[in-house]
Structure formats: C-alpha cells, structure tokens
Amino acid sequence: MGAMLEVNNLTVRFGQMTIVDEISFSVSPGEWLMIIGPNGAGKSTINNAISRAVPYTGTVLFEGTDIRRSKSREMARNIGVLSQNHYVGYGFTVEEVIRLGRYAHAPGLLAGGKDEGEEKVRDAIRKTGMEPYLNQSVLTLSGGELQRTFLAQLFAQDPRLLILDEPTNHLDLIYQKQVFALVGEWLKKPGRAVISVVHDLSLARAYGTHALLMKKGKIVSIGSVEQVMAPEYLNQVYDMDVYDWMRQMYGQWSGAAQT
Amino acid sequence: MKKRSREGFSLPIYILFTAVTLAVMLLCICVGSVMLPPMDTLEVLWNGLTGAQGPVNEMAANIILPVRLPRVLCVALVGASLSLCGGAMQGLLKNPLADGTTLGVSSGASLGAVTAIAFGISLPGFPFAGSMVMAVLFAFGSLALILSLAYKLDSSLSTNTIILIGVIFSMFASSISSLIITFAGDKIKTITFWTMGSLQGSSYENALVLLAALALFGGLVIGCGRELNAFAVGEDNARNIGVNVRRVKLTVLICISVLIGVCVSVSGTIGFVGLVTPHMLRSITGPNHRRLLPATLFGGACFLMLSDLLARTLLNPRELPLGVVTSFVGSMMFIYIFYMSRKGR
C-alpha cells in the first residue's frame, strides 16, 4: 500500500535557527502518527510546514503530488488541521463556524448541489454532540465546547488526513478523552490517517499506531508506538528515567484504586 | 431537520433597505437653510429625471438640481463606501476597531491628494484624476506599510498593536500634509477640507466616479463575504478550510485602498464612518459578512446623509465640517467598543 503523505528532507529555518532539520517520514492510510518530544523539538513546526503555514525546504507529497502545487481548496479537501487554541473575534453562531468547513467543497461562486455537503455537516454536528449549541454564539462557549465546534468544522470539511496540533492542550480530562475518542472513531473509515502532536505520552501510547520521537529538530526514533516508546529512546530524549517516573505516577493511582 | 437557513438577505429586506435609504435621501434634499416641501421636491426630481417640462417650483428646482441633489448623492456614496471598507477591514483583520481612520489609511490618502495638488501632478485630460490616483496609491502604500510593520512586531496582529501603529502613522502623514499645505498655501484653498472633510460643492461627476468605484471594487469586496467570515473567525482557520489567504487579503486590501482613496479625493477625510456603521449594524445582522456587508452600504449611506444634514443645519446659516460630526460620534463609539472589548476579557 502506497503512502498517503511522504515527507522528504523537510527543513524549516527561522532566521539563523534551524527548527526542523532534514526530517523524512511517511504516513499510510489507517495510521495515527504521534509526534512526541520535549518542548522546542520542532513538533508543531512540522505540522505547520505540512499545512503550508510556514515556509520550508524539502518536499511534502500528498499521494505523490507536491503540496506546493495544490490549490488552497484542493489542499483543504486533502488535509485538515485542528490547532490548539482559538480566539474567535466576533459572535458567530456555532453553526456558522461549522458550516465554514464546507468552504473547500463549495462549487465556485454559485452555491448549488449541496446535498452531500448537508449530510456531512449534520453528521459532523451529531458526532460531536453540538446540536444543542447550534444557535449559540461561539463567544459564550467553554474551551472544550469551542474545540468540539472546530472539530465538527473539520469533520464537515471531510479531509483525508487530519493534523492535530496539541488538540487538548488547555482542556480538562473529560474533553481530552472526548476529542481523542472522536478522532479515533473518525480514523476507522478506510483511506484516512491522522498526525498529531501530543505532550502526554500516555495519550500517545493509548491512541497512536506509530510514533515519531524528536529532539532539537532531528528524529531520534520512528516506527510503531512500541518501538519508539522504548525506554532507551525516551530516557535519552527527556534526560530522565521516563518509565520509572510513569511507574511512580501510575503506581499511586492503581494503589489508590485498590484500597 | 430544519431547512438550511439562508446566509444572505432575502429580496423584501433589500426593498425595505432601499426604501429607507430613499426616504432619508428625500428628507436630506428637502431640509436645509431653505425648507422645500416634499411634493415640490419630488416633482422637481421627477422632471429632472424624465426631462419633462412642467409647472415646477422655480426656486426648488434651482436649489435641488445643481446643489442639493449632487451633494446628497455624493454623501450617500461616500458613506456607503467608507462603511463597507470599515466592515471588510474589521473582518479581514479580526479587529472591531479597524477603520480607514484608525489605521491611518485616510490620512495617507489625503497626503497623496495634497501632494498631487501642491506639486501639480495631474493626468492630461482628466483634471481631478491626478489627486485621485495619488490618493489611491498612497492609501494602498499606507495600508501595506502599516500592516507589514504590525506583522513584524506582532504576528498575531492584536488589536492594540495595529491601532497604535495606525495612530502613529496617521499623525506622521497629517504632519507632512500640513507641512505641504503651509508651503503651498495658495494652491490648496481650505486646509479644513483635507483635515475635516466636507462635501460642499460636490458635482454629478464626483457622484459618478464614486458610484463606479463602489460598483466595481465594492462589488468585489461583497463577493468575498464567505472568505471574510473565515478571516473573522481567524486567519489560520481561513487557511485551514481552504481559503487562498494571500489572494483574498490582497484583493480586499486593494479594493479598500481604491475606495478610500477615491472617497478622500472627493470629500477629504471624514473620520470614523467605517467604525460606526458596521458596529451598529452588527448587533442587528450578526457578524456574518454576507449580511453585514450589504447592510453597511445602506446603513453607511443613511448615517452619513443624516450626519451631513446635521452639519448643514445645526448652526444654520453656518455650516460645520461633516468630519466634525462623524468624528464626534465616532470617537464616542471607539471608546465604547474599546471599553466593552476590554471588559469582555
């Protein structure tokens, strides 16, 4: 099976600083690639390059086509991005924001033949449980509700590859679980893949199929989650005994549950 | 499931808007230092439109056709254009305080016009095109300069950064304008015209140019309603959903520059119109630009016509500069919006 996304020698520089240094990897349908590593490793910058938000050198191919050559709308039909925080300037309704997701599918200037899009929008609203909020202003939503609104927009956009940039950074536990469960459900349909940047190693391990471990702009290890999250790699990257720390933390939990 | 709600206005609403605007226009033609009865006014307008000869009120005809009608038309068109620009900028920059005045674009445009007049820059065959073209070029240059400076300082383009830079640039451009005016005294008759704005002595030619600019460039801006919605949610979000961010931004900025440049070269700087109308209308239409932008055309026209009426009649027979009235209302509004947005955080 051919790769969906192929990244070759990706390098991103800001002035003199090299943030991402000659990175190559690929993602195939059905995979959920977790990009992990300490702060400043360049994880989010990879995402920004793949979504064409920052200039880069090297090539990024989506199904064999250089993304630099895709038109904006075509790009959005292939790759969708969920970023970590949103501040909406005006009081748009939840429904208006979700419907913006269909922008890339709108047939030119004249809006017609919306049937399939309508189905996608309703489906996205139902899956994310946003029905009760549709006419509410986005300014009145909590962080978790706002993130679900943008997730619904993304589902309505219906891309093939989902890019999540620390999607649950400011969210409490229950929303973290919701977002990851929704994305996991989304990935079950054939021909889809996910790349996400996460800080929480347990989340990465629980939901990822593959992982890419980075430090200072370079790849330390890449492969299946089990391979990459082996103690020797993690300890090297984080400069500490990660497994020991995890055992201590989660040991306390399991101990508490028993008593 | 309920039927998909329309984003734009329906035809009856447009008819209502047009009716209200025409009523305001009639009011502004009738009222002035000389009061004219509405029926006579309508008769004069009808005869003027159809070319029919009839027993008309002679005095009314002499006031309406050469003086009041062109002025009111120009006021309405300038109001519509400036308000549309304000609404579009506020969406594009996700900044409710953005406007030709607060960003310094108007001052830039007026610097262009002043330069053209002082140095006698003109296009052969089109006497007033020189200052217009210069105003448009300077408007675009100012906008480009302000935005690139703001992006350099603060890539998220926060409200405060961009307004601060706008204000500073505005002062800078005004000071250069004043300098040029001081040295070119006899060429530029009234300094107040450029600093305060007025549509005294407007002609039908002016109205025609304004209308053409509004139809072409205003139409383009209104066509970008969906894209502006995406920008108002956030520029990153706009890119993510497939908006060609660079192209849309450039298109809208060029259209805004042309509209502001043309308005300034006809009327001088009339402050804060683009701030006041979109803000008042947003509470009725909501932030969706497919409703907001068309509404700003009518709302802006009405707002400026009424302001102009006030300017003409408040201290009758003396006339206030129009910009004094709009700036008074606008600065109050600016403080209100700023206060509310601070409180909301």
Side-chain angles (χ1 to χ4, degrees):
Chain A
M1 182 111 86
M4 181 185 261
L5 188 83
E6 232 183 289
V7 176
N8 298 313
N9 298 323
L10 180 76
T11 302
V12 180
R13 288 195 186 87
F14 292 141
Q16 297 294 314
M17 298 232 290
T18 304
I19 311 293
V20 172
D21 198 358
E22 303 245 329
I23 276 186
S24 304
F25 63 93
S26 65
V27 180
S28 299
E31 289 183 7
W32 187 335
L33 178 72
M34 295 287 183
I35 304 182
I36 52 178
N39 283 331
K43 307 185 296 291
S44 294
T45 309
I46 292 186
N47 277 350
N48 291 339
I50 297 171
S51 54
R52 301 200 303 196
V54 294
Y56 61 86
T57 58
T59 54
V60 179
L61 308 176
F62 186 90
E63 289 179 343
T65 312
D66 192 330
I67 61 162
R68 269 191 269 234
R69 266 186 273 154
S70 326
K71 295 213 165 88
S72 300
R73 287 183 194 232
E74 183 189 344
M75 179 80 185
R77 289 194 294 267
N78 291 335
I79 302 179
V81 185
L82 183 69
S83 38
Q84 53 178 304
N85 48 5
H86 311 273
Y87 160 65
V88 181
Y90 300 95
F92 286 95
T93 64
V94 168
E95 187 174 358
E96 280 173 325
V97 171
I98 295 175
R99 282 190 186 283
L100 275 176
R102 295 304 297 171
Y103 178 82
H105 300 268
L109 274 175
L110 300 164
K114 287 252 167 156
D115 298 334
E116 191 204 359
E118 202 48 39
E119 195 51 47
K120 289 265 156 55
V121 170
R122 281 180 202 161
D123 208 41
I125 292 170
R126 201 180 50 242
K127 278 199 179 116
T128 49
M130 290 310 286
E131 287 111 330
Y133 305 92
L134 286 184
N135 292 317
Q136 206 169 315
S137 154
V138 287
L139 299 178
T140 62
L141 300 179
S142 73
E145 289 159 357
L146 196 59
Q147 192 61 301
R148 259 157 61 208
T149 304
F150 280 96
L151 194 61
Q153 187 196 61
L154 201 51
F155 287 165
Q157 186 178 329
D158 194 28
R160 314 268 310 283
L161 172 67
L162 217 57
I163 293 183
L164 312 175
D165 191 10
E166 301 182 37
T168 57
N169 217 15
H170 301 292
L171 303 186
D172 54 34
L173 221 50
I174 183 157
Y175 289 124
Q176 281 193 12
K177 195 184 151 203
Q178 272 178 1
V179 169
F180 276 85
L182 283 167
V183 173
E185 199 58 40
W186 180 87
L187 183 60
K188 280 184 184 160
K189 270 218 181 158
R192 291 174 167 178
V194 182
I195 299 178
S196 61
V197 167
V198 287
H199 271 300
D200 189 326
L201 295 178
S202 339
L203 275 177
R205 183 152 211 162
Y207 288 93
T209 60
H210 292 69
L212 190 165
L213 181 62
M214 293 180 73
K215 187 175 190 178
K216 291 181 182 156
K218 289 193 192 297
I219 294 185
V220 175
S221 165
I222 181 166
S224 72
V225 172
E226 289 76 21
Q227 288 165 3
V228 173
M229 296 181 77
E232 62 264 35
Y233 293 126
L234 287 185
N235 295 353
Q236 176 200 336
V237 165
Y238 286 95
D239 283 329
M240 61 182 269
D241 192 338
V242 176
Y243 271 65
D244 186 47
W245 163 246
M246 287 286 182
R247 263 195 300 276
Q248 272 182 37
M249 286 213 303
Y250 291 101
Q252 284 176 357
W253 280 107
S254 50
Q258 281 161 13
T259 49
Chain B
M1 267 282 186
K2 75 175 162 85
K3 212 172 140 248
R4 181 171 186 259
S5 52
R6 283 176 64 104
E7 279 193 278
F9 289 122
S10 55
L11 189 62
I13 305 235
Y14 276 115
I15 294 174
L16 177 73
F17 281 167
T18 313
V20 171
T21 310
L22 288 177
V24 172
M25 198 174 267
L26 184 64
L27 174 78
C28 292
I29 295 174
C30 292
V31 178
S33 49
V34 179
M35 294 290 184
L36 302 170
M39 287 319 289
D40 286 8
T41 305
L42 281 175
E43 199 185 348
V44 168
L45 288 177
W46 178 253
N47 286 353
L49 210 62
T50 56
Q53 302 292 320
V56 292
N57 181 337
E58 210 40 60
M59 186 187 67
N62 285 336
I63 293 178
I64 292 171
L65 293 178
V67 184
R68 283 207 195 147
L69 182 61
R71 173 167 181 163
V72 170
L73 283 177
C74 283
V75 169
L77 287 166
V78 167
S81 304
L82 291 179
S83 302
L84 179 69
C85 290
M89 265 193 263
Q90 286 152 29
L92 189 74
L93 302 173
K94 201 169 101 172
N95 186 336
L97 290 173
D99 164 47
T101 331
T102 52
L103 293 194
V105 187
S106 304
S107 311
S110 104
L111 174 60
V114 167
T115 311
I117 297 171
F119 294 100
I121 300 169
S122 67
L123 299 179
F126 301 94
F128 70 116
S131 60
M132 196 170 275
V133 169
M134 284 290 278
V136 169
L137 289 179
F138 271 63
F140 185 72
S142 320
L143 207 45
L145 182 72
I146 295 158
L147 289 182
S148 52
L149 262 176
Y151 270 114
K152 268 235 162 73
L153 285 176
D154 174 1
S155 58
S156 68
L157 274 195
S158 82
T159 311
N160 299 346
T161 316
I162 196 159
I163 298 296
L164 256 179
I165 294 175
V167 168
I168 294 165
F169 179 80
S170 189
M171 284 181 188
F172 171 74
S174 303
S175 71
I176 307 274
S177 289
S178 304
L179 191 73
I180 294 176
I181 289 169
T182 316
F183 282 103
D186 56 324
K187 274 188 189 154
I188 300 164
K189 281 183 229 133
T190 46
I191 294 175
T192 46
F193 175 79
W194 294 107
T195 52
M196 276 300 153
S198 166
L199 280 143
Q200 216 169 355
S202 303
S203 64
Y204 288 108
E205 284 84 11
N206 290 348
L208 203 64
V209 173
L210 286 167
L211 182 66
L214 186 58
L216 190 62
F217 296 97
L220 263 171
V221 170
I222 291 178
C224 292
R226 288 192 77 165
E227 287 78 3
L228 285 170
N229 282 344
F231 271 96
V233 168
E235 192 175 325
D236 287 337
N237 193 245
R239 182 185 301 105
N240 292 345
I241 64 169
V243 175
N244 189 332
V245 172
R246 194 177 298 176
R247 192 171 65 197
V248 171
K249 204 188 269 183
L250 198 65
T251 308
V252 172
L253 290 180
I254 288 176
C255 291
I256 287 174
S257 308
V258 173
L259 285 173
I260 292 183
V262 169
C263 284
V264 165
S265 69
V266 170
S267 68
T269 47
I270 299 173
F272 296 103
V273 182
L275 189 71
V276 176
T277 356
H279 187 75
M280 290 200 292
L281 288 170
R282 210 174 274 124
S283 56
I284 305 167
T285 64
N288 191 326
H289 289 82
R290 297 177 93 178
R291 286 194 298 273
L292 178 66
L293 293 182
T296 55
L297 290 180
F298 298 97
C302 290
F303 171 72
L304 204 61
M305 282 193 287
L306 291 172
S307 303
D308 187 51
L309 184 65
L310 214 59
R312 283 188 286 139
T313 55
L314 199 63
L315 297 177
N316 196 12
R318 290 192 58 189
E319 186 177 323
L320 284 171
L322 176 52
V324 170
V325 178
T326 60
S327 295
F328 184 80
V329 180
S331 48
M332 296 292 147
M333 187 70 89
F334 183 97
I335 292 171
Y336 173 75
I337 301 173
F338 197 54
Y339 179 74
M340 292 311 277
S341 65
R342 286 264 128 173
K343 232 176 89 181
R345 280 196 192 160

